[in-house]
């Protein structure tokens, strides 16, 4: 216990931890959760009949097939597709085999032998925009296509998935985006009231906001810890204490697992601290009665803690034989790809390090995904612990001189002045 207190104090009293705490507070909490509530992004009052409640995803195969096929057809004619393969906008212009494959998909969906020619000859159009350097782009008034009379809804989804692959992925036709893009209808008063009642009566308000709170924190806690871990674990080498520590009688297991525990506890501190502030903010808006005062803490432990354990364990293991800079860069690349491949509307996947739920509503959706959520969090908890245990062996080998750091970074030439 004394060693834990010593390591924990060493972490939280360091300058890099102050920066870590400040970054977590500012980016994950203040500019996201607190700012959303301050700007009134969520409706705090019960909905009133006859209001505008925005759009919602509905289960309507005919609406989905009509809108998605018409959009694909419009873009095919202009040969101008917008995709977001890595979270950044990318314009795609097809040619050759790829364009012919997409033409065949449209033939199956529309029944037109030559979709491009048929639309131009039979449907009215208006100029959507005109650029003097390119041909004018037209928007065609496409009537009911009756797609489901030619293909089943299952085949339709498979064809749209194939179209997404042809475009290089990240399009609105992907399985993750197609419904939330093309199957929208005005939300009804009854649906909105039901969501509000679920937030107030079933979620006790704070459970709903706890999911939103964890959504924001989960993104940043998948990246920020690596900087703290890199500085903390390389501190012995910088202060030339590494050989002294290696020569002591303390076991590698005790030393590394204590450091693992101290790091995890220190990194959860800003999350749990801001959970207190989140509770205070919700009380300011909804009052103090009928709330689940422990919701923010419960969700932080089951949602964020597994992420922290996984990142800490993996980074400790990698830093046992790789330079800290290499681990930081690798962690950033992994975080970038994993975060951009998971949108707020994506279903929870077993191997998603960050889990998205960017709303205080959607209780039933979360309940429906609870089994895969549980499996996901248990998996990353187990992986983190296994990596921490493996790091014990790696650092033991380093103490015994059996393992050296793998040099992936070239040494910079040192200029020596002539005498």
């Amino acid at each position: 216990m004394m060693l834990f207190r010593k390591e924990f104090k060493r972490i939280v009293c360091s300058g890099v931890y102050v920066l870590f705490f400040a970054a977590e507070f500012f980016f994950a909490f203040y500019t996201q959760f607190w700012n959303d509530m301050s700007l009134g992004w969520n409706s705090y009052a019960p909905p009133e009949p006859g209001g505008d409640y925005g759009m919602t995803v509905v289960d309507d195969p005919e609406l989905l097939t009509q809108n998605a096929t018409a959009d694909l057809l419009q873009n095919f004619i202009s040969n101008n597709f917008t995709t977001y393969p890595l979270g950044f906008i990318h314009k795609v212009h097809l040619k050759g085999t790829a364009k012919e494959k997409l033409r065949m998909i449209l033939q199956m969906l529309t029944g037109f032998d030559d979709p491009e020619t048929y639309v131009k000859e039979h449907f009215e159009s208006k100029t959507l925009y005109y650029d003097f350097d390119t041909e004018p782009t037209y928007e065609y008034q496409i009537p009911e296509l009756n797609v489901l009379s030619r293909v089943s809804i299952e085949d339709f989804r498979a064809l749209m998935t194939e179209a997404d692959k042809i475009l290089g992925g990240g399009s609105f036709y992907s399985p993750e985006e197609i419904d939330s893009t093309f199957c929208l209808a005005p939300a009804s008063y009854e649906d909105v009231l039901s969501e509000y009642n679920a937030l107030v009566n079933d979620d006790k308000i704070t459970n709903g906001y706890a999911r939103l709170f964890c959504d924001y924190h989960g993104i940043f806690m998948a990246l920020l810890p690596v900087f703290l871990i890199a500085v903390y674990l390389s501190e012995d080498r910088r202060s030339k204490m590494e050989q002294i520590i290696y020569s002591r009688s303390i076991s590698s297991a005790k030393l590394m697992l204590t450091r693992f525990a101290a790091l995890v506890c220190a990194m959860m501190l800003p999350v749990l601290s801001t959970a207190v502030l989140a509770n205070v903010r919700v009380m300011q808006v909804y009052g103090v009665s009928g709330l689940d005062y422990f919701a923010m803490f419960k969700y932080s432990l089951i949602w964020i803690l597994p992420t922290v354990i996984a990142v800490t364990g993996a980074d400790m293991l990698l830093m046992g034989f790789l330079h800290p800079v290499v681990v930081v860069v690798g962690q950033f690349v992994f975080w970038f790809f994993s975060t951009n491949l998971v949108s707020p509307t994506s279903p929870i996947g077993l191997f998603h390090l960050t889990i998205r739920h960017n709303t205080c509503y959607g209780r039933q959706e979360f309940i429906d995904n609870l089994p895969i959520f549980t499996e996901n969090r248990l998996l990353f908890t187990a992986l983190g612990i296994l990596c921490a245990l493996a790091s014990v062996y790696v650092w033991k080998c380093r103490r015994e001189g059996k393992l050296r750091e793998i040099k992936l970074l070239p040494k910079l030439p040192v200029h020596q002045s002539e005498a």
Side-chain angles (χ1 to χ4, degrees):
M1 195 64 182
M2 184 180 298
L3 179 61
F4 174 83
R5 288 197 299 267
K6 180 180 178 181
E7 295 294 332
F8 182 80
K9 182 179 179 181
R10 180 181 156 203
I11 295 169
V12 299
C13 292
S14 64
V16 69
Y17 183 78
V18 174
L19 294 176
F20 166 79
F21 197 109
E24 181 65 16
F25 177 87
F26 183 77
F27 292 112
F29 178 72
Y30 181 74
T31 63
Q32 302 297 321
F33 183 87
W34 188 276
N35 193 50
D36 275 349
M37 297 195 73
S38 299
L39 294 175
W41 182 72
N42 295 287
S43 176
Y44 304 136
E48 296 291 337
D52 181 5
Y53 312 114
M55 306 295 286
T56 186
V57 179
V58 296
D59 183 12
D60 188 338
E62 291 186 2
L63 177 68
L64 173 64
T65 54
Q66 171 66 22
N67 288 346
T69 304
D71 186 81
L72 184 64
L73 189 55
Q74 296 271 15
N75 291 330
F76 178 79
I77 294 171
S78 64
N79 195 20
N80 188 6
F81 299 86
T82 302
T83 64
Y84 299 84
L86 296 174
F88 296 99
I89 190 169
H90 177 58
K91 293 293 184 179
V92 177
H93 307 285
L94 297 178
K95 58 183 179 181
T97 304
K99 190 172 184 178
E100 288 306 310
K101 287 181 179 179
L102 197 54
R103 187 192 305 275
M104 292 175 60
I105 290 175
L106 283 168
Q107 288 173 345
M108 288 185 278
L109 294 174
T110 64
F112 306 149
D113 291 333
D114 187 348
E116 186 174 4
T117 302
Y118 188 90
V119 169
K120 289 181 177 180
E121 291 179 352
H122 292 82
F123 300 148
E124 295 182 3
S125 66
K126 64 178 181 180
T127 304
L128 190 60
Y129 65 84
Y130 185 85
D131 189 329
F132 290 102
D133 296 329
T134 62
E135 294 293 324
T137 298
Y138 298 103
E139 181 180 45
Y140 293 89
Q141 309 303 307
I142 299 176
E144 189 67 36
L145 294 171
N146 297 315
V147 176
L148 293 178
S149 65
R150 283 176 287 276
V151 297
S152 66
I153 186 63
E154 291 79 14
D155 290 339
F156 167 80
R157 290 185 179 277
L159 289 171
M160 282 294 174
T161 300
E162 182 62 27
D164 175 68
K165 292 179 181 178
I166 292 171
L167 295 172
S171 75
F172 295 119
Y173 314 112
S174 67
E176 295 79 18
E177 299 293 337
I178 189 168
D179 288 282
S180 58
T181 304
F182 300 111
C183 202
L184 297 173
S188 67
Y189 167 72
E190 291 75 18
D191 290 339
V192 175
L193 181 62
S194 176
E195 284 281 5
Y196 183 85
N197 288 334
L199 173 66
V200 174
N201 301 322
D202 300 326
D203 272 329
K204 306 299 181 184
I205 299 177
T206 40
N207 283 278
Y209 281 100
R211 292 192 289 270
L212 179 63
F213 174 85
C214 289
D215 172 80
Y216 291 136
H217 275 285
I219 296 172
F220 294 96
M221 290 304 287
L223 174 65
L224 293 179
V226 70
F227 298 100
L228 177 62
I229 297 168
V231 173
Y232 171 64
L233 292 182
S234 59
E235 191 176 47
D236 294 331
R237 184 186 312 171
R238 294 197 311 273
S239 60
K240 302 188 183 303
M241 292 290 291
E242 192 174 47
Q243 294 304 319
I244 297 176
I245 294 174
Y246 286 175
S247 64
R248 289 181 178 177
S249 59
I250 184 173
S251 69
S252 298
K254 183 177 180 180
L255 177 63
M256 297 311 299
L257 293 181
T258 299
R259 288 183 167 183
F260 172 74
L263 280 166
V264 170
C265 291
M267 286 186 284
M268 285 299 296
L269 194 56
V271 178
L272 298 176
S273 299
T274 52
V276 176
L277 298 178
N279 261 337
V280 171
R281 185 62 181 135
V282 174
M283 285 183 223
Q284 289 177 338
V285 175
Y286 288 94
V288 297
S289 62
L291 303 182
D292 180 354
Y293 299 108
F294 298 100
M296 297 289 178
F297 306 102
K298 291 186 296 186
Y299 273 91
S300 295
L301 293 176
I302 66 173
W303 193 313
I304 305 302
L305 182 58
T307 299
V308 173
I309 290 174
V311 171
T312 304
D315 289 342
M316 285 184 65
L317 174 61
L318 292 174
M319 286 182 193
F321 51 85
L322 293 176
H323 193 280
V325 174
V326 176
V327 179
V328 169
V329 172
Q331 178 72 23
F332 177 81
V333 172
F334 174 79
W335 172 84
F336 178 82
F337 281 99
S338 63
T339 301
N340 282 284
L341 291 176
V342 180
S343 72
T345 58
S346 299
I348 298 174
L350 181 61
F351 300 105
H352 289 171
L353 177 61
T354 54
I355 294 178
R356 303 303 312 274
H357 191 92
N358 195 235
T359 176
C360 61
Y361 298 106
R363 170 185 169 83
Q364 190 57 49
E365 178 186 351
F366 182 78
I367 295 298
D368 293 341
N369 284 286
L370 195 55
I372 188 66
F373 173 88
T374 304
E375 292 176 9
N376 174 288
R377 297 293 81 185
L378 288 175
L379 173 65
F380 279 102
T381 300
L383 287 175
I385 293 173
L386 287 174
C387 286
L389 294 174
S391 72
V392 172
Y393 176 76
V394 171
W395 287 88
K396 180 177 181 294
C397 291
R398 288 192 63 169
R399 291 179 73 177
E400 297 173 352
K402 298 178 181 178
L403 179 66
R404 294 183 179 273
E405 183 181 281
I406 299 175
K407 302 293 184 181
L408 295 180
L409 295 175
K411 286 187 176 181
L412 295 177
V414 179
H415 175 74
Q416 295 181 347
S417 60
E418 295 182 1

